[in-house]
Amino acid sequence: MRIREVRTGDLPLLQDIERAAGRCFRDIGMPEIADDEPLPLDELARYQRAGLAWVAVDEADVPVAYLIAEQVDGNLHVEQVSVHPDSARRGIGRSLLDHLAERAAAHGIPALTLTTFADVPWNAPYYARCGFRPLEDDLLSPDQLDIRAREAAHGLDRWPRLFMRRPV
């Protein structure tokens, strides 16, 4: 599996990957997450233009997974990582996270952060296996608290969520 930067033509495919990956939330009683629309193309393009968007591609150079990130508190914050279900359980998500960690290390960035659902098996437990550790709420920075507030405004706080950090 090859990882490369997102191209403009890939952006609609990222939305398709996100929709497909989200369907599994329906099976665990989270239909609101399954039905949530992916980020709009212009917002995905913003990550692409910033050089903070990557895809894992198949042999035909078609994206099967993606990761977008942003800089928060001097770290790289994983805004979204999604793998199409047809390509799941092959280490692709971990490869994208490792790719981001390598980029962070090359630029002297100390850690990766993310927010995730605490009780969803392919969320917090998965990220823990990838080297992320929970951050206590009382240690969150103002920028991290802003992320938490945006997620709450979007309704994500209906289920337990947590911030996680992975040193680079």
Side-chain angles (χ1 to χ4, degrees):
M1 191 67 43
R2 189 168 65 89
I3 296 174
R4 64 167 171 77
E5 291 185 359
V6 169
R7 300 175 186 146
T8 303
D10 297 330
L11 297 176
L13 297 174
L14 304 188
Q15 291 178 316
D16 293 342
I17 291 168
E18 182 63 23
R19 283 185 191 101
R23 287 186 204 119
C24 55
F25 283 94
R26 187 174 312 289
D27 297 337
I28 61 167
M30 298 170 74
E32 298 88 345
I33 302 301
D35 295 337
D36 194 37
E37 277 299 304
L39 291 175
L41 292 176
D42 62 334
E43 196 165 338
L44 290 169
R46 182 177 59 81
Y47 290 98
Q48 177 209 11
R49 286 190 304 274
L52 295 170
W54 296 270
V55 288
V57 296
D58 65 13
E59 305 77 31
D61 199 44
V62 175
V64 298
Y66 77 96
L67 182 149
I68 55 176
E70 60 186 338
Q71 292 193 359
V72 176
D73 294 332
N75 299 309
L76 284 178
H77 181 76
V78 178
E79 179 60 32
Q80 183 69 42
V81 59
S82 291
V83 178
H84 193 284
D86 293 345
S87 296
R89 299 184 159 290
R90 298 182 191 167
I92 297 170
R94 182 184 297 257
S95 293
L96 284 164
L97 292 167
D98 290 344
H99 178 80
L100 185 64
E102 290 168 13
R103 300 266 312 189
H107 291 90
I109 296 171
L112 306 181
T113 62
L114 54 78
T115 59
T116 191
F117 293 110
D119 300 326
V120 174
W122 59 89
N123 277 200
Y126 169 77
Y127 292 120
R129 290 191 304 274
C130 292
F132 286 84
R133 297 294 170 252
L135 282 175
E136 297 299 323
D137 285 347
D138 59 342
L139 298 177
L140 297 181
S141 72
D143 288 340
Q144 290 169 325
L145 291 171
D146 286 345
I147 291 169
R148 180 68 60 78
R150 284 195 314 265
E151 291 180 348
H154 195 71
L156 296 179
D157 62 341
R158 283 190 53 200
W159 304 274
R161 288 188 63 77
L162 48 91
F163 245 96
M164 299 184 84
R165 182 181 188 275
R166 172 182 164 178
V168 173

